[in-house]
């Protein structure tokens, strides 16, 4: 007789996502047993909050987790009466849940339009985390609209406030001490309740209350008026489509890049011209820094633990640009995503560091864009196709050349899509390289008479932004992290 074992954690959002489906399987006659990797208090609260209808036992010494070699949670194991494994499924996947239901002669439990994503990765198994002697934390309540008031720390007069905050809250750079007076000044710039929860920041899902957003903004050096942009920024980073959980825990280079559009650029002093990726404006630098501090202090993604990026990205100090709409002959980014031109907006994309493209001699749109296409072909890995996206930041000088030839933004995307590929000769090597195994999924095209595999899935996989100074024929390509339902998607929010 088959039974289903589900390894779970009380603070894992994917475990909470899968819980109602496990309830449905149990109701359909499947013998479901939950295995909690957390303590008694958190487990009891988790069972109560999720209204679980199947038994849940604890794994206090992680003996079962080690025996079944659990790597992530949730992990589902279908086992027979002799405890032999019949099937194993990691994370949340609707197709897998329905296939498991069929093994038990149970009706499907996951529908395509039930409000949940098709799939979602889980969290690291608890026994693989560093173990501490800290007291057990209660189960997270993801439904609460109000958070607890931020605690106050009193430091002795002999302690330097800047040094203390650097050690306790910083990111290897000094921060402004978030005193009660400074936070209250920030809060006066909004009429929101200080304890209102704007979002829960992955990967540890700390409550981003208005008050805690203000505290991190103070540390970053933001002016109070920046609260107008900080609130939608937190909503964007907590949007499941952006998948900050994956972005913050990946070994890849990607960091959240903020793109500002609309009148707020001038109103708050965001910079969009020369040195747009540099330390040229307080608004750009402090907003990007505030986001990174919130990811550290509320999300828990510290670079010496949960943030596993192999090489990192200097954008993890601050990564914020504004679009140079005045030099953009096309619709700006936020209009492309459904907002009015006169609205202000903030967009968030998981991006690598900029890869420069120099093209000073081309006199046609085709000449400029061919240079860009060769840089695009190397995104992620030069032989890997179809799985990634890219942001192209075109400089005003390049844009003038392209627009003079009558190209629309859609024409630019289409040209880059049709002219970015990897020659088939690159796959003749005997050494098995990344991207080789996926060749059956690639589409073969011809570029300048040479057979190639098409690099991107669609023209929309290449996003276009105009930014930078009016002198200098330099543009940039920024590769993405993994995209699609299992990866990270660009999100745009009005401010």
């Amino acid at each position: 007789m088959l039974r289903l074992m589900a390894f779970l954690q009380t603070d894992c959002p994917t475990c909470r996502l899968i819980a109602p489906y496990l309830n449905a399987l149990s109701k359909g006659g499947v013998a479901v047993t939950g295995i909690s990797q957390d303590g008694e208090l958190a487990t009891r609260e988790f069972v109560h909050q999720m209204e679980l209808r199947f038994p849940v036992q604890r794994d206090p010494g992680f003996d079962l987790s080690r025996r079944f070699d659990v790597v992530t949670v949730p992990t589902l194991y279908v086992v027979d009466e002799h405890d032999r494994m019949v099937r194993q499924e990691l994370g949340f996947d609707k197709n897998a849940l329905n296939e498991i239901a069929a093994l038990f002669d149970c009706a499907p439990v996951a529908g395509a339009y039930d409000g949940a994503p098709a799939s979602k990765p889980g969290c690291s198994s608890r026994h693989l985390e560093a173990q501490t002697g800290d007291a057990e934390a209660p189960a997270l309540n993801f439904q609460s609209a109000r958070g607890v008031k931020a605690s106050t720390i009193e430091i002795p007069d002999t302690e330097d406030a800047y040094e203390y905050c650097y050690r306790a809250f910083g990111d290897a750079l000094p921060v402004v001490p978030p005193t009660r007076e400074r936070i209250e000044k920030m809060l006066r710039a909004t009429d929101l309740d200080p304890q209102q929860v704007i979002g829960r920041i992955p990967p540890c899902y700390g409550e981003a209350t208005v008050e805690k957003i203000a505290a991190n903004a103070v540390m970053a050096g933001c002016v109070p008026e920046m609260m107008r942009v900080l609130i939608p920024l937190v909503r964007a980073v907590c949007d499941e489509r952006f998948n900050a959980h994956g972005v913050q825990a990946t070994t890849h280079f990607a960091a959240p890049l903020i793109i500002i559009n609309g009148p707020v650029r001038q109103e708050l002093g965001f910079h969009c011209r020369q040195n747009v990726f540099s330390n040229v404006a307080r608004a750009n630098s402090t907003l990007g820094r505030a986001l990174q501090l919130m990811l550290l202090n509320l999300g828990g993604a510290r670079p010496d633990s949960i943030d596993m990026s192999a090489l990192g990205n200097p954008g993890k100090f601050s990564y914020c640009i504004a679009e140079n709409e005045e030099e953009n002959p096309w619709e700006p980014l936020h209009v492309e995503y459904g907002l009015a031109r006169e609205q202000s907006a903030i967009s968030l994309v998981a991006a690598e560091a900029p890869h420069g493209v120099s093209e000073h001699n081309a006199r046609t749109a085709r000449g400029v864009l061919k240079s860009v296409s060769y840089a695009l072909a190397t995104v992620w890995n030069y032989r890997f196709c179809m799985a990634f996206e890219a942001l192209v930041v075109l400089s005003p000088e390049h844009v003038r050349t392209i627009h003079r030839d009558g190209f629309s933004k859609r024409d630019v995307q289409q040209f880059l899509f049709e002219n970015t590929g990897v020659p088939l000769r690159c796959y003749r090597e005997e050494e098995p390289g990344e991207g080789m195994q996926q060749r059956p999924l690639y589409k073969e095209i011809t570029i300048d008479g040479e057979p190639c595999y098409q690099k991107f899935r669609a023209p929309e996989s290449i996003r276009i932004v105009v930014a930078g100074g009016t002198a200098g024929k330099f543009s940039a390509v920024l590769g993405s992290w993994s995209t699609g339902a299992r990866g990270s998607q660009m999100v745009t929010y009005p401010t």
Side-chain angles (χ1 to χ4, degrees):
M1 181 177 179
L2 299 179
R3 56 194 176 92
L4 179 64
M5 299 175 63
F7 284 81
L8 306 166
Q9 285 173 18
T10 62
D11 60 352
C12 170
T14 311
C15 294
R16 289 175 175 267
L17 178 64
I18 205 171
Y21 298 90
L22 297 177
N23 270 343
L25 288 170
S26 178
K27 184 178 180 180
V30 178
V32 180
T33 300
I35 311 294
S36 171
Q37 295 186 328
D38 290 313
E40 183 177 352
L41 176 62
T43 300
R44 187 166 60 245
E45 184 64 19
F46 176 72
V47 170
H48 171 72
Q49 289 176 6
M50 302 309 302
E51 300 180 347
L52 299 187
R53 297 293 181 260
F54 52 88
V56 177
Q57 67 184 64
R58 292 179 52 234
D59 187 20
F62 305 119
D63 293 335
L64 275 175
S65 299
R66 291 188 176 90
R67 175 184 166 191
F68 280 86
D69 196 22
V70 180
V71 177
T72 65
V73 293
T75 296
L76 308 183
Y77 295 95
V78 178
V79 297
D80 63 16
E81 63 271 20
H82 302 294
D83 282 347
R84 291 178 298 205
M85 192 186 305
V86 176
R87 179 164 181 161
Q88 174 186 4
E89 288 296 336
L90 281 65
F92 173 84
D93 187 291
K94 286 184 176 179
N95 290 332
L97 284 167
N98 288 335
E99 289 170 4
I100 288 174
L103 284 177
F104 290 87
D105 296 322
C106 179
V109 295
Y113 306 105
D114 59 10
S119 61
K120 182 178 173 66
C123 303
S124 175
S125 178
R126 192 75 80 202
H127 78 284
L128 299 177
E129 298 175 352
Q131 303 301 311
T132 70
D134 295 345
E136 176 188 355
L140 295 178
N141 185 354
F142 283 84
Q143 285 71 46
S144 174
R146 280 178 58 82
V148 298
K149 186 174 176 58
S151 58
T152 302
I153 300 171
E154 299 286 345
I155 63 174
D157 293 339
T158 55
E159 177 83 63
D160 185 295
Y162 286 89
E163 283 297 321
Y164 177 86
C165 292
Y166 169 79
R167 295 196 308 272
F169 312 123
D171 57 354
L173 284 177
V175 297
V176 177
T179 62
R180 186 180 287 111
E181 293 75 20
R182 289 188 177 112
I183 294 173
E184 288 174 354
K185 188 176 180 181
M186 293 290 296
L187 291 174
R188 285 197 290 272
T190 177
D191 57 3
L192 297 174
D193 182 345
Q195 270 65 64
Q196 179 181 338
V197 175
I198 301 301
R200 288 168 175 81
I201 297 184
C204 293
Y205 292 86
E207 291 177 343
T209 63
V210 175
E211 181 184 42
K212 292 176 182 177
I213 293 170
N216 282 274
V218 166
M219 288 191 283
C222 292
V223 296
E225 292 76 15
M226 199 69 76
M227 290 295 288
R228 171 186 171 186
V229 182
L230 283 158
I231 299 299
L233 174 59
V234 170
R235 292 194 173 108
V237 82
C238 295
D239 190 313
E240 285 294 333
R241 294 171 298 171
F242 180 70
N243 190 6
H245 187 288
V247 174
Q248 289 299 99
T250 180
T251 55
H252 187 244
F253 306 89
L257 169 65
I258 305 165
I259 305 172
I260 303 293
N261 279 101
V264 75
R265 295 172 307 130
Q266 283 85 17
E267 293 164 3
L268 294 183
F270 285 99
H271 190 74
C272 63
R273 296 181 180 274
Q274 73 274 11
N275 275 297
V276 68
F277 280 103
S278 304
N279 56 342
V280 68
R282 179 177 183 177
N284 300 49
S285 296
T286 59
L287 183 65
R289 183 97 193 280
L291 173 59
Q292 290 301 323
L293 289 175
M294 286 188 282
L295 291 170
L296 284 167
N297 295 321
L298 301 179
R302 295 195 166 273
D304 56 356
S305 54
I306 292 176
D307 184 343
M308 298 299 293
S309 181
L311 292 179
N313 182 337
K316 291 189 177 187
F317 279 117
S318 179
Y319 212 11
C320 175
I321 67 172
E323 184 161 22
N324 192 341
E325 297 180 21
E326 291 71 24
E327 298 294 335
N328 184 355
W330 310 305
E331 69 276 12
L333 183 67
H334 68 305
V335 175
E336 187 180 347
Y337 284 89
L339 298 178
R341 182 180 287 269
E342 62 271 15
Q343 283 183 285
S344 293
I346 187 166
S347 299
L348 204 59
V349 59
E352 296 179 354
H355 173 77
V357 179
S358 172
E359 180 50 80
H360 285 73
N361 297 322
R363 295 293 180 264
T364 64
R366 177 182 175 84
V368 171
L369 294 176
K370 284 295 286 184
S371 290
V372 175
S373 73
Y374 288 121
L376 283 169
T378 65
V379 163
W380 191 275
N381 174 286
Y382 79 105
R383 287 188 298 198
F384 212 145
C385 302
M386 312 295 283
F388 311 102
E389 297 181 352
L391 178 71
V392 177
V393 179
L394 291 173
S395 70
E397 279 212 68
H398 279 163
V399 167
R400 283 196 289 273
T401 300
I402 296 166
H403 187 249
R404 189 178 59 228
D405 280 0
F407 275 57
S408 66
K409 181 188 279 191
R410 178 67 184 180
D411 293 334
V412 172
Q413 290 175 300
Q414 188 68 36
F415 182 93
L416 292 174
F417 172 66
E418 293 175 355
N419 287 273
T420 303
V422 184
L424 267 59
R425 55 183 164 79
C426 296
Y427 296 84
R428 294 172 186 160
E429 300 176 16
E430 295 182 1
E431 179 70 23
E434 186 167 349
M436 297 280 280
Q437 300 89 338
Q438 290 77 19
R439 287 182 67 184
L441 304 175
Y442 300 163
K443 178 182 178 181
E444 188 172 334
I445 59 174
T446 300
I447 300 176
D448 296 336
E450 181 168 19
C452 299
Y453 286 126
Q454 199 155 43
K455 181 70 175 183
F456 295 100
R457 288 191 304 268
E460 295 76 19
S461 298
I462 306 167
R463 325 283 183 135
I464 308 297
V465 169
V466 177
T470 55
K473 297 183 178 182
F474 299 97
S475 291
V477 166
L478 290 75
S480 76
W481 183 53
S482 179
T483 58
R486 292 180 181 268
S488 178
Q489 303 167 52
M490 178 184 284
V491 293
T492 299
Y493 277 70
T495 66

